[in-house]
Amino acid sequence: MRVVALISGGKDSCYNMMQCVAAGHQIVALANLRPAESTGQTDELDSYMYQTVGHHAIELYADALDLPLYRCVIKGTTVNTGRVYTACQEDEVEDLYHLLKLVKDKEGVEAVSVGAILSDYQRVRVEDVCRRLSLQPLAYLWRRKQEILLKEMISSNIQAIIIKVAAFGLDPDKHLGKTLDQMEPYLLELSEKYGVHVCGEGGEYETFTLDCPLFKKKIVVDSAKVVVHSADAFAPVAYLHFLKLHLENKGESSDMFKVNSCSCDITCNDGDILTSSEVEEQQKIIPIIWKSLKHNSLDFTKTFGSSGKSRNGYQWFSGITAHFLPSKGKTTQEATREAFSSLQANMTSLGLKLKDIILVHLYAKNMKDFNVINSVYVTEFDLCPPARVCVETLLPDGVLFCIDCLAHSNDIATDGMLSDEKLVLHVQSISHWAPASIGPYSQSIKVGDVLYCAGQIALVPCTMQLVSGGIWTEGVVALRHVERVLQAMSQKTALHHVITASCYVTDSKHVPVAHSIWQKKLKECKKVEDSETYNDVAAECGMLTVVVVSHLPKDAAIEWHVIAVVDDPLQRKHFAMKMLSEGFQIDCEFVESSSASCASISVRLSLISPSASQLDLDGPLSDLVSVFRQVVEKLSEDCNASPLSFRAFFKKDVFDAGVLQTGLQENLEKYLGRKTPALILVPVVDLPGKEVIHATCWLS
C-alpha cells in the first residue's frame, strides 16, 4: 500500500516506518502537526495527542528521507477526552483529519503509519480519522513488549537521542542528548525499580531520531540549549531546544536496512505434537431409532425467544433468522435486513436498542454468503459494535443465518441497581499484536467484571492471512490472540480467568487436539506456578465445549471463543453431578465467579448403552432439564445471576431439530417458569465421544 507516515521526530514513528517497509508497503509522504508560532509555546504544546518538542527540526526529515512533508498547525485543543471519539470541530484531532485528507488527495495514499505503542487514547483517535477517510492504520508497535521493542530499535540502527525528560530518576544534566544505546541499561534499571516505561510510554521521556536505515542523509546537531520546564526536585521536566542543525550525506557503507524477524512468527515445537496414544478416536454412534414422538415437528428457526431481564440489566435474544428462498425473488441483502428489522422491533418493544447488544453469535448456512451478510450487518451498529462469534453450521434449507445476542441496558437496571459501565476494545490497526478488527465487531467488551470476547481464528496479525502449519499451530496462535485480547482489556487477566470457553473445529480428529492445547495453555498460565494449586484451578478455569462444525471464516480449522471474569479463580465455586437416564448419561457442572456476579453451566447428554429397541427421547430431555434446574437452584443460594441462555449443540443426524426444540422448550418452561432462559439450538456435525447434546448456559 501507499503509506503516509505520521512523524513526530521520535523513535517510535521512525521504527514503525521501517516496519511498514519491511511489510512490503511504500512510504510516499510524511505528515506532521506543529504548534502555532503565535501561541508562545513554540517548543512544547500541552497536547494529549501530539509530541511537539523538537518540532523545529522536522523540516530536515523531508530531505533526510527524500520524501514530501505535509505540515499543518494545531488549531484545536483537547475537547473530547472520552474513550470513544466522535468528531468535534474544536478538537485537535480534527487538525489531523484535515492534514491526512490533504495528503490523501495529493498523494493517493491508502494507509497511515502510526507509532503508537500503548496509548488507547491516541489509537482510538487516529483510527477514527482513518475510518472517516477510508485509510488503513498501520501500528506495528502496538502493545509490543517494551523491553524487546527498545532492544530491536537499537539493533536496527535507529540513532535517536533523549530530548525531553519528565520522570523520577531522569536528570536533565545527565541524560538529555544521550542515545538510546547509552540509555538502555539505565532505563531497564528504572523500569525494574520504579515501573518506568522502558519506551517512555508514560511520558517519562521523548526522543528525536537523527539517523536510521531509511534516511538518505543523517541529521547532525551543532548546538542546543536545555530548557527547564519544571524544576521539580524529584522529577524535573526539561527538554533540548535545537539551536543549529545540518544534514550530512551518508557514506557508501551506509547502514543496511534490517528489521528483526516478524514478532507474529510462531514455531511449532516437536514436543507440541500429540502422540498417537493421546489422540482418541471419535466414538461412532450407531443410528438411534426413536419411539414415535407425540410432538409435531417444527422449524426450530422460526421461534423468536428471549430470557427475562436480569437484575443487572442483561437479556438474551434468540431465534433471529434470515429466511432466504431465491425462488421468491428475495435477495440475500433483503433477507438480512428483514432479520435485523425483526430483531430491532423485538428489542424496541422491551425498551432496548441495537447499541445495547454486547455479544452476537452468528450461525451461517453457507460461509460463502458471509460478505453479503456482513455488508448489511456493518450498517446496523455504530462505532462500538458488539463482540461476535461467526461459524457455518448445518441449518435447514431456506435459512440464510440465525443470530442470538446478549444485550445490556446502560440505563438503571432492574431493582434500582446501578448498571455497570461498558468498556470496548475495537482495535482496527494492522499490527503484530492480534488480528485487527476489520469487520463490524469489537475484539472484546467489558461490563462490570466480565469480558465478552469475539471468536478468534489463527490470522497472522500483520498480514491478516491464516497461519500455515496445521491444526496445532492454528490452535496455539488463535488461543494466543485470545490471551492478548484479555490482557489488553485488563492487564493481569489471563486464560485462567476464563469462565466458559467454546472451541469450534472443522474435523472430528481435531477434537482431542483442541482439548490438549487448552490444557497445555492452562498449565502454562504464569499465575498458576505452584503445581499443587493447578488441580484446583483446572476446574475453575472455565469449562471447555468443543464442537465440530462444517466451516469457519477464512477456511480456518479452529476458532476459540471465551468469556472471562476479572476475579480470583481460586475462590470460584465449582460443582459437578451426573445421572443415568434410559440408556443415556447426563453430566452437569457449573462454575460461579468469586464475585458471584455470573456463572456458567455445562450439561451433556451421552448415549452409553445403545440397544436394538427404540429409545424414548421424552425421559432423557425431562431429566436433562431437571438436572439443569437443580444446578440453577444450587447456584441461586448465594448468587443473584439469572439463567439467560441455554445453547444446545446437538448432533444433526441423531435428532429431529423441531422435536428437540419443542421438548427442551416445554421442559425449560415447566421446570424454570419465569426464569426460563432463551433457548438456542445449534445443529453440529459432531460432538466429542458419545455426546449427542452439549448445552451451555450463561447466568448473569
Side-chain angles (χ1 to χ4, degrees):
M1 289 189 285
R2 288 173 63 83
V3 177
V4 55
L6 287 178
I7 58 164
S8 61
K11 63 184 181 354
D12 303 337
S13 54
C14 198
Y15 190 55
N16 200 70
M17 275 197 286
M18 291 175 65
Q19 293 281 321
C20 289
V21 173
H25 304 299
Q26 181 189 7
I27 310 284
V28 296
L30 309 171
N32 170 262
L33 284 157
R34 61 179 177 83
E37 300 292 334
S38 60
T39 61
Q41 296 172 293
T42 55
D43 276 314
E44 177 77 311
L45 188 69
D46 186 16
S47 167
Y48 284 16
M49 273 294 289
Y50 312 117
Q51 173 187 324
T52 55
V53 67
H55 74 90
H56 290 100
I58 290 291
E59 294 291 345
L60 294 174
Y61 258 61
D63 285 338
L65 282 153
D66 193 21
L67 289 170
L69 169 65
Y70 292 82
R71 299 192 83 182
C72 284
V73 168
I74 301 168
K75 296 174 183 171
T77 56
T78 304
V79 179
N80 182 343
T81 58
R83 286 193 179 91
V84 179
Y85 178 79
T86 46
C88 171
Q89 284 313 309
E90 295 77 35
D91 199 291
E92 61 186 355
V93 174
E94 296 312 299
D95 297 320
L96 179 63
Y97 174 84
H98 296 303
L99 174 61
L100 290 181
K101 186 176 188 308
L102 171 70
V103 182
K104 184 181 180 185
D105 292 344
K106 295 273 190 184
E107 302 287 346
V109 295
E110 305 153 88
V112 181
S113 170
V114 190
I117 298 175
L118 205 55
S119 170
D120 276 309
Y121 184 92
Q122 290 174 334
R123 176 189 58 77
V124 163
R125 281 149 182 77
V126 173
E127 287 180 350
D128 180 78
V129 168
C130 289
R131 179 186 58 80
R132 286 187 273 155
L133 290 169
S134 298
L135 294 170
Q136 175 61 57
L138 304 172
Y140 292 113
L141 315 189
W142 180 247
R143 296 200 75 87
R144 292 284 313 278
K145 192 170 174 59
Q146 291 186 42
E147 293 81 0
I148 295 170
L149 188 55
L150 184 64
K151 200 173 281 299
E152 269 185 29
M153 289 179 184
I154 293 164
S155 67
S156 297
N157 292 322
I158 284 185
Q159 302 296 319
I161 58 169
I162 306 288
I163 58 163
K164 180 184 174 186
V165 292
F168 185 73
L170 290 175
D171 184 334
D173 296 329
K174 285 185 188 172
H175 302 129
L176 286 176
K178 288 278 177 71
T179 64
L180 286 180
D181 200 10
Q182 292 168 325
M183 288 295 292
E184 185 195 18
Y186 187 60
L187 289 170
L188 291 170
E189 187 185 321
L190 287 181
S191 174
E192 189 69 32
K193 281 184 180 175
Y194 310 118
V196 165
H197 290 83
V198 170
C199 285
E201 276 301 285
E204 295 90 344
Y205 71 91
E206 285 175 11
T207 59
F208 190 82
T209 304
L210 301 175
D211 191 15
C212 93
L214 295 180
F215 283 19
K216 309 282 196 302
K217 299 174 182 176
K218 64 182 178 183
I219 300 169
V220 179
V221 181
D222 297 310
S223 61
K225 68 175 182 180
V226 174
V227 178
V228 177
H229 195 277
S230 160
D232 185 280
F234 297 103
V237 179
Y239 60 87
L240 276 185
H241 174 76
F242 297 129
L243 297 171
K244 190 180 177 191
L245 305 133
H246 73 273
L247 288 168
E248 260 181 31
N249 286 321
K250 294 166 76 167
E252 288 299 316
S253 61
S254 62
D255 298 324
M256 287 294 291
F257 175 52
K258 60 172 185 175
V259 170
N260 293 37
S261 64
C262 170
S263 62
C264 297
D265 284 352
I266 187 157
T267 54
C268 183
N269 302 321
D270 290 340
D272 291 340
I273 307 299
L274 291 164
T275 61
S276 56
S277 62
E278 286 182 277
V279 181
E280 295 174 19
E281 278 297 309
Q282 278 293 101
Q283 304 278 343
K284 287 279 171 269
I285 294 179
I286 61 165
I288 299 172
I289 303 163
W290 299 107
K291 286 182 183 170
S292 59
L293 295 144
K294 63 187 178 197
H295 308 297
N296 295 321
S297 180
L298 303 170
D299 180 351
F300 75 97
T301 65
K302 288 184 176 169
T303 312
F304 178 85
S306 75
S307 67
K309 185 182 272 193
S310 75
R311 288 182 66 196
N312 281 10
Y314 291 93
Q315 196 158 7
W316 210 295
F317 297 88
S318 63
I320 303 104
T321 307
H323 293 278
F324 178 56
L325 293 168
S327 58
K328 294 192 175 176
K330 192 192 292 183
T331 66
T332 306
Q333 284 100 327
E334 286 166 344
T336 305
R337 283 194 197 98
E338 276 181 21
F340 273 100
S341 297
S342 165
L343 172 60
Q344 193 155 21
N346 280 288
M347 291 185 70
T348 303
S349 69
L350 293 163
L352 292 163
K353 303 183 179 72
L354 288 183
K355 70 178 180 62
D356 295 322
I357 298 173
I358 53 179
L359 176 64
V360 170
H361 286 76
L362 192 156
Y363 298 109
K365 168 80 171 172
N366 191 326
M367 205 50 85
K368 289 176 184 170
D369 297 318
F370 181 63
N371 286 341
V372 180
I373 295 167
N374 225 18
S375 68
V376 176
Y377 186 105
V378 71
T379 65
E380 300 292 339
F381 295 101
D382 59 8
L383 299 176
C384 299
R388 185 175 73 182
V389 189
C390 180
V391 303
E392 176 188 297
T393 194
L394 308 172
L395 296 174
D397 292 338
V399 171
L400 186 64
F401 64 82
C402 283
I403 276 179
D404 66 86
C405 55
L406 173 62
H408 176 258
S409 173
N410 289 319
D411 304 324
I412 301 293
T414 55
D415 295 348
M417 292 178 69
L418 272 174
S419 178
D420 293 313
E421 184 185 15
K422 181 165 90 171
L423 303 177
V424 178
L425 183 70
H426 186 210
V427 180
Q428 298 155 74
S429 302
I430 301 286
S431 69
H432 294 306
W433 165 69
S437 172
I438 50 175
Y441 62 91
S442 297
Q443 282 98 342
S444 182
I445 291 183
K446 181 173 185 271
V447 184
D449 60 356
V450 185
L451 302 173
Y452 301 92
C453 296
Q456 287 286 355
I457 58 173
L459 297 178
V460 178
C462 64
T463 64
M464 296 299 285
Q465 299 301 310
L466 200 67
V467 71
S468 56
I471 180 63
W472 184 276
T473 304
E474 276 196 48
V476 171
V477 171
L479 202 50
R480 184 178 71 173
H481 296 336
V482 170
E483 289 181 281
R484 288 182 173 179
V485 167
L486 291 175
Q487 193 176 30
M489 286 299 282
S490 185
Q491 195 176 2
K492 293 184 178 174
T493 310
L495 273 188
H496 63 282
H497 287 94
V498 169
I499 196 163
T500 182
S502 300
C503 182
Y504 300 91
V505 294
T506 54
D507 190 319
S508 299
K509 293 196 293 289
H510 297 159
V511 171
V513 180
H515 279 289
S516 178
I517 290 170
W518 180 249
Q519 291 302 327
K520 186 175 189 300
K521 293 299 285 183
L522 278 183
K523 285 175 184 171
E524 287 171 7
C525 263
K526 288 177 184 160
K527 297 289 177 194
V528 192
E529 288 165 356
D530 183 352
S531 58
E532 288 178 16
T533 62
Y534 175 71
N535 290 328
D536 299 331
V537 177
E540 284 74 24
C541 287
M543 298 166 295
L544 175 64
T545 305
V546 184
V547 300
V548 184
V549 294
S550 49
H551 215 84
L552 290 170
K554 300 262 191 183
D555 289 324
I558 187 167
E559 177 172 348
W560 298 96
H561 173 241
V562 308
I563 299 176
V565 187
V566 186
D567 68 346
D568 180 357
L570 286 169
Q571 298 303 314
R572 289 178 179 173
K573 288 188 178 164
H574 175 254
F575 171 77
M577 64 182 287
K578 63 176 63 179
M579 72 173 286
L580 296 175
S581 174
E582 302 176 29
F584 291 92
Q585 179 170 303
I586 298 165
D587 294 271
C588 186
E589 60 179 322
F590 78 72
V591 175
E592 179 192 327
S593 70
S594 62
S595 59
S597 64
C598 59
S600 175
I601 299 175
S602 163
V603 198
R604 303 190 303 276
L605 182 71
S606 303
L607 182 64
I608 51 167
S609 55
S611 61
S613 61
Q614 295 177 336
L615 288 166
D616 186 358
L617 181 60
D618 290 338
L621 284 189
S622 177
D623 288 343
L624 181 115
V625 179
S626 172
V627 168
F628 173 68
R629 182 194 63 175
Q630 290 174 52
V631 172
V632 170
E633 286 173 352
K634 189 169 180 64
L635 268 169
S636 62
E637 290 168 11
D638 64 348
C639 179
N640 290 321
S642 308
L644 297 177
S645 64
F646 189 95
R647 183 180 313 278
F649 297 104
F650 68 96
K651 291 187 69 162
K652 184 176 183 291
D653 57 358
V654 172
F655 299 100
D656 175 283
V659 172
L660 185 62
Q661 200 257 357
T662 306
L664 282 172
Q665 189 67 42
E666 285 181 1
N667 279 295
L668 285 167
E669 288 172 6
K670 170 183 159 188
Y671 285 116
L672 284 105
R674 287 189 306 109
K675 283 192 169 182
T676 299
L679 176 61
I680 303 140
L681 285 188
V682 187
V684 295
V685 176
D686 203 0
L687 288 167
K690 295 182 177 182
E691 291 175 22
V692 289
I693 296 176
H694 191 146
T696 61
C697 177
W698 179 249
L699 298 89
S700 189

